[in-house]
Amino acid sequence: MAGFDPEKDKKLKEWRCEDTGLLVSINQYDKGEPKVQIGPRILKKKDGTDRAPAKAGRLSISDISFIYDIIDDIKDELENNLDPMG
């Protein structure tokens, strides 16, 4: 069995919470089922540039509100990316 191939890993859609830096994305590996990933978290430096990604960790009420607001978009995007033959 071959190992992980980053060339086969695709990010199909991404949402970013401007308040908390939390990223939510839909990813697909090779021809596998698209799946939702919560995290990482990209915080801002004092100069306004992005810091290195950090684990999402525990979610705040702001994070949950953000996910709640975009959950229908996430569901629709997942459904649109499903293989009808799959």
Side-chain angles (χ1 to χ4, degrees):
M1 181 175 172
F4 175 78
D5 182 355
E7 295 290 322
K8 295 181 180 180
D9 198 28
K10 299 178 283 193
K11 186 175 291 188
L12 304 176
K13 178 90 181 209
E14 180 179 87
W15 296 264
R16 181 176 180 164
C17 179
E18 294 302 320
D19 293 339
T20 67
L22 184 68
L23 296 180
V24 176
S25 59
I26 297 175
N27 300 281
Q28 183 177 27
Y29 186 78
D30 201 15
K31 293 179 177 28
E33 178 183 356
K35 296 180 181 175
V36 175
Q37 177 173 324
I38 298 175
R41 192 179 297 276
I42 309 284
L43 300 173
K44 296 281 186 186
K45 295 179 186 177
K46 289 181 182 180
D47 67 5
T49 61
D50 289 345
R51 292 173 55 185
K55 289 183 181 180
R58 297 176 182 176
L59 302 181
S60 68
I61 190 68
S62 295
D63 293 325
I64 295 300
S65 295
F66 169 68
I67 293 169
Y68 181 82
D69 289 344
I70 64 169
I71 199 70
D72 289 334
D73 291 339
I74 293 170
K75 182 179 177 284
D76 291 345
E77 196 68 33
L78 272 174
E79 289 174 343
N80 290 339
N81 283 290
L82 288 177
D83 181 0
M85 305 302 288

